[in-house]
Amino acid sequence: MYTRSFAVIGLGNFGSTVASELANFGDPVLGIDTNERDVAKLANTLSKAVIADGKDEEALKEAGVSNCDVVIIAIGEDLEANLLCTMNVKLLGVKTIWVRALNRTHHRILTKLGADRVIHPEHEVGQHIAQMLHNPLMRDYVSLGNGFHVVDFKVPAQLDGQSPSDPVLFSNHDLRPLGVMRDSRFLSCESRDMTLKDGDKLLLLGKRPNLRQFGDFLRDRS
């Protein structure tokens, strides 16, 4: 199986985490930063760790960035360095570029420069935490785009024995139950004989407002 190669430019908290996780997956990762200490920390973890300036196109080329399939530009507070690095990586012909953005204006500029995906780590993590804090029954969720999410709900005691096909539970909230994780088993909600059990992990597909209403509905019944 073909393994994609990655370069992570900017090895602060965010960049070093991304680079280390990719390396743990067995992917070849090139790490780049101007800070010698940050580079040294990952020297034994990544395939290659280099001290270089993202604002210098030639330095990036010599480091091997142009040979990577994907580049993640994780430079944080230095807006100029972030933008110039994005331009340089684009000029080097890298196929896929992900860039960390500082704000919405920065996001728009990066999009104009040709970034394939713009990341807002703090904003995205903050939204994720707020969703789970708002509804303690929500264990986790994944955004699918266009407003749709798949949510992992902990089935409360008041729904023990209920059928996923019960329209009062889901259809009335315009939600679709996908399945249940019970211990280490996945159970399809398409079976008419299947009933929910207290503590099940229920996977639901729907839009955020409907999922929020469902969470409120469950709290009102508790």
Side-chain angles (χ1 to χ4, degrees):
M1 186 175 65
Y2 173 68
T3 301
R4 294 193 298 173
S5 57
F6 299 86
V8 179
I9 305 174
L11 300 176
N13 291 333
F14 172 65
S16 62
T17 300
V18 173
S20 298
E21 287 298 309
L22 287 171
N24 287 339
F25 293 144
D27 296 320
V29 182
L30 164 64
I32 297 176
D33 201 292
T34 56
N35 188 303
E36 182 178 356
R37 181 177 298 178
D38 289 339
V39 172
K41 287 180 181 177
L42 294 175
N44 295 324
T45 302
L46 309 183
S47 306
K48 184 179 179 182
V50 176
I51 301 170
D53 190 345
K55 300 193 297 293
D56 187 337
E57 180 185 351
E58 191 60 32
L60 293 179
K61 185 177 181 179
E62 290 180 5
V65 169
S66 57
N67 298 322
C68 295
D69 298 306
V70 183
V71 171
I72 302 94
I73 300 171
I75 299 171
E77 298 303 320
D78 192 337
L79 179 60
E80 179 185 2
N82 181 292
L83 294 174
L84 289 175
C85 184
T86 302
M87 291 176 60
N88 288 335
V89 171
K90 191 71 178 177
L91 289 171
L92 289 174
V94 176
K95 294 179 181 179
T96 305
I97 306 171
W98 288 37
V99 191
R100 177 182 183 177
L102 304 179
N103 50 53
R104 291 182 180 179
T105 301
H106 187 197
H107 185 130
R108 288 195 292 268
I109 296 172
L110 290 170
T111 301
K112 294 290 185 181
L113 290 177
D116 296 285
R117 180 157 178 177
V118 181
I119 316 160
H120 298 264
E122 294 84 358
H123 179 72
E124 292 169 11
V125 171
Q127 279 189 327
H128 204 103
I129 292 173
Q131 287 281 356
M132 291 186 286
L133 287 172
H134 175 73
N135 189 345
L137 295 175
M138 183 188 296
R139 292 172 179 260
D140 207 350
Y141 77 96
V142 176
S143 174
L144 302 180
N146 296 321
F148 284 94
H149 295 74
V150 173
V151 174
D152 174 0
F153 267 95
K154 178 183 177 182
V155 174
Q158 67 264 32
L159 295 186
D160 190 284
Q162 297 277 348
S163 170
S165 60
D166 184 347
V168 176
L169 289 181
F170 304 114
S171 298
N172 289 354
H173 295 279
D174 200 18
L175 300 175
R176 180 182 174 185
L178 301 178
V180 166
M181 286 299 301
R182 181 173 297 163
D183 299 323
S184 59
R185 294 179 297 153
F186 177 80
L187 306 176
S188 173
C189 287
E190 295 180 0
S191 173
R192 293 185 178 181
D193 298 329
M194 207 276 276
T195 58
L196 301 174
K197 291 186 67 175
D198 182 16
D200 280 347
K201 294 180 180 180
L202 173 64
L203 303 179
L204 285 177
L205 171 65
K207 291 194 172 183
R208 181 181 294 179
N210 298 331
L211 290 163
R212 184 179 297 119
Q213 291 171 5
F214 179 67
D216 294 339
F217 166 75
L218 290 180
R219 284 201 304 274
D220 292 341
R221 291 186 58 169
S222 62

